[in-house]
Amino acid sequence: MKRERATDPFDLAVETGETSWALETKGMCVDYGAFRAVKDLTMGFEKRQVTAIIGPSGCGKSTALRAFNRMNDLIPGCRTEGQVLFHGADVYAPEVDPVKVRRWIGMVFQKPNPFPKSVRENILWGARINGYSGDEEELVEGSLRQAALWDEVKDKLDKSALALSGGQQQRLCIARAVAVKPEILLMDEPTSALDPISTSRIEDLLEELKARYTIIIVTHNMQQAARVSDRTAFMLLGDLVEYAPTKELFLNPKDGRTENYISGRFG
Amino acid sequence: MHSRIQFMEELSRLHHDILSMGTRVEENLAKALEALRSGDAALADEARAGDGAVDAMQVTIEDRAAVLIATQQPVAGDLRELVTVFKLTEHLERIGDYASHLAKAAKRLAKEPYPRSISPLVAMAELEISMVRDAVAAFLNRDAELARACAARDDEVDASHKAFLEEALDFVRENPDKAQQGMRLIRASAWLERLGDHVTNVCEAVVFMVEGRHVELNE
Ligand SMILES: Nc1ncnc2c1ncn2[C@@H]1O[C@H](COP(=O)(O)OP(=O)(O)OP(=O)(O)O)[C@@H](O)[C@H]1O
Ligand SMILES: [Mg+2]
């Protein structure tokens, strides 16, 4: 099927812009009023890899993550400077519609937050907003399969999503996020509300999802970062302290502050 | 994430046990050397009997280190240290075995004294006793410089081994009827040479632990 050439400059960039990074920030700063929560963040995220962001509570992980897809726009008083480049286009350029940004860069939150609707509606909602006109059954099944949830819910597609277990709800949220075929998935502590079995299912799922998507995950669980990610970024007080292949960062960190944090030496 | 205080306490217990194991290996080696020098069979037996304790210490230390890894999930420098513990105990155990072999050889040789000088053998063993001590100290103090200096002394061990080999071969050529005795001495010298390599390996492991990179110290 031949698609029409995009007219929106952001759509056009997504269609044609070739970059080596899936996402790149340049001098990104995020302020809440007079408080600078993320300072001068310059980093690139590798395509189809899992990147973990770790660091103590309040260091700016969630703020940085939300800045990547303009989720912070929804917070009054929050301002972002610098650039966030996706296919070479700055997602903060004045003409860019943040809804479009979030269509390509999806997000999964700490607490599973399905809509109080059926399983099927949860999947179809985002796709419909984005003008999906293909086979809906196919999309529902495909998305649920990608989230490793199909077998568990295929007989409950019209039941309320809220009747699922916490771990199932979180996988539904992942299915909902992949239904719009994004390129990047942002996940903010996606397993912190889950039991170990659901956690390990999600971790296995990340390994499968990274064949198609670039994943950026914030986690407090250092073992999880070590297990699931290819690269790890360590943040402290709004600064990026160290960013390296995960194996290197956990075996032989270069910065003493990283070593202290991951070894549990605080204060 | 682990409890730092508990981890540090466990680690210091482990250090204590490693020091005991190192000291025990050193002692056995010193006894074997003395048996070689004096022909004292009782001392040789003591050295050999002491090896059982060394083996038991290895098991205890490794079990404790494995539990620490399982329960505390160490990373970075802590993890490198625990990985090094396994290498250290493995090599110390092997060094202990060589000390034991040497003690056994000392008993045999006592029955049939060697008419020439065994001073290169003695020099090797003496040097190695101090090397074992330094290698363990380098581990306990996280001292990469000491580890490098210690490994460098292995060259002297190799030189002594070569010198003694010449000497012993010469002896065998002149006394073909004493070939078995000569072979025994050559074997002892070869054990001591191998022993030095194990010390060098410990030193390499210590450098990895401290600096996080793999090095070859036995060029
Ligand atoms: N809406 C907000 N208004 C004002 N300040 C905020 C707001 N959200 C976060 N902050 C502040 O910004 C800093 C970074 O917060 P952020 O939530 O990004 O940290 P985090 O690294 O995700 O922490 P945690 O691990 O606890 O989730 C903190 O000092 C926080 O108090
Ligand atoms: Mg957060």
Side-chain angles (χ1 to χ4, degrees), chain A residues 50-87:
Chain A
V50 178
T51 301
I53 302 178
I54 60 169
S57 187
C59 72
K61 305 178 296 293
S62 298
T63 303
L65 198 71
R66 287 195 305 261
F68 297 158
N69 74 345
R70 293 191 58 171
M71 216 61 136
N72 285 334
D73 289 16
L74 311 171
I75 299 175
C78 185
R79 214 181 56 252
T80 305
E81 285 168 27
Q83 292 184 310
V84 177
L85 301 172
F86 179 64
H87 288 269

Side-chain angles (χ1 to χ4, degrees), chain B residues 109-127:
Chain B
L109 288 163
K111 289 180 192 144
E112 186 185 14
Y114 185 55
R116 297 187 178 188
S117 166
I118 57 163
S119 61
L121 271 191
V122 172
M124 266 165 99
E126 271 173 349
L127 182 59

